Amino acid sequence: MASPKAIGSSRQRSVLVHFIATIEPERCEALADRLLVAFHSISRIWAQSPEALARVIGDAPQVAEVILEARKLATESLSGCLRGISIDPFDRRLRSYLIMSMGSLSDERLRILFLDGGRHLLADEVLQSGTLAQLAIYPRTIFRRALELNAAGLILVHNHPSGDHRPSVEDIEATRKLEMIGRSLNVEIIDHIVVTSTHCHHVISNDTLAGTPIPSASFTLRSPGGPARIDHGDIALANAKAAMRRRLLRQQLIGAPELFGDPAWEMLIDLFVHECERKRLSISALCVTSSISMSSALRLAQRLCDAGITRRVPDPIDGRRTFIRLDPVIAHRMRAYFEAGAE
């Protein structure tokens, strides 16, 4: 009996042969074989540039042209489904569009979906390109464009040409840093999606909080001696954010976070800020915040859970992921602490 992989390869060849036969019936089998030998699958053929196709079937330019036009047609059909709707990162239409448009690319690229306050699409742009295994992200480019479009939220998307949809430590750390910058600009990082030819993985999950507005990061100006309205929740959140900024600044200033860090307290502040903003935080994302290595941070996170300071909460969408939150008593004490003033 043939293996499922062999059956799939045979089916792909058959479909590709029939497709090419509508243009080049005399050479359809030979052209299909050349494409599959070079690119291995229809999805990877679909993702190739005109130059790459020309290198393999340069003697059949009409076939390359039809492949490119068919891809544009399919991609436009999927992207058209996203216009005029409130976009949910877990929407199957979005996931299909992302897999189709960039899941099989041979190099890493960063796509940004810029959304308004109602999560409607303002722009869909590929801002940066990288190599086979890495991609440099420039926050200034991302947020400058977000401010130009007056975007309220961003969905970050990048692909893994390796086919492994799991986010790397660098992926998680970059997401956390962009999230911190976004807070100061009142631009929400709604999700960061890693795409392969078959899967989408969500680095951030706000699935049950879709449509929940994040608290404003704006400042209030008052006349001297004028009446002041005190919102203790806002004061606690502002003081906690100020503490996070100072700790990050201290690490950057000294340049030796392993000597000047305070990892347990950093984790608790980060959890407190997320809970004030009604956002979930995964254990892996929490560990990036601390000034120690990932393995040490994971052990420390477990110790905080064992001590009853934090609690693990399973992700109802993805069974492989676990969220973490403060114990309600600890959260209440931290609120009182930050209401009393900043550190």
Side-chain angles (χ1 to χ4, degrees), residues 17-43:
V17 166
H18 281 82
F19 176 74
I20 296 175
T22 61
I23 313 151
E24 279 278 356
E26 299 288 333
R27 297 187 295 159
C28 57
E29 293 193 5
L31 292 171
D33 288 338
R34 280 155 59 182
L35 286 167
L36 288 171
V37 167
F39 305 120
H40 308 297
S41 69
I42 290 178
S43 64

Side-chain angles (χ1 to χ4, degrees), residues 40-57:
H40 308 297
S41 69
I42 290 178
S43 64
R44 291 190 69 84
I45 294 170
W46 208 247
Q48 299 308 311
S49 66
E51 295 75 18
L53 291 174
R55 285 195 295 269
V56 178
I57 54 170

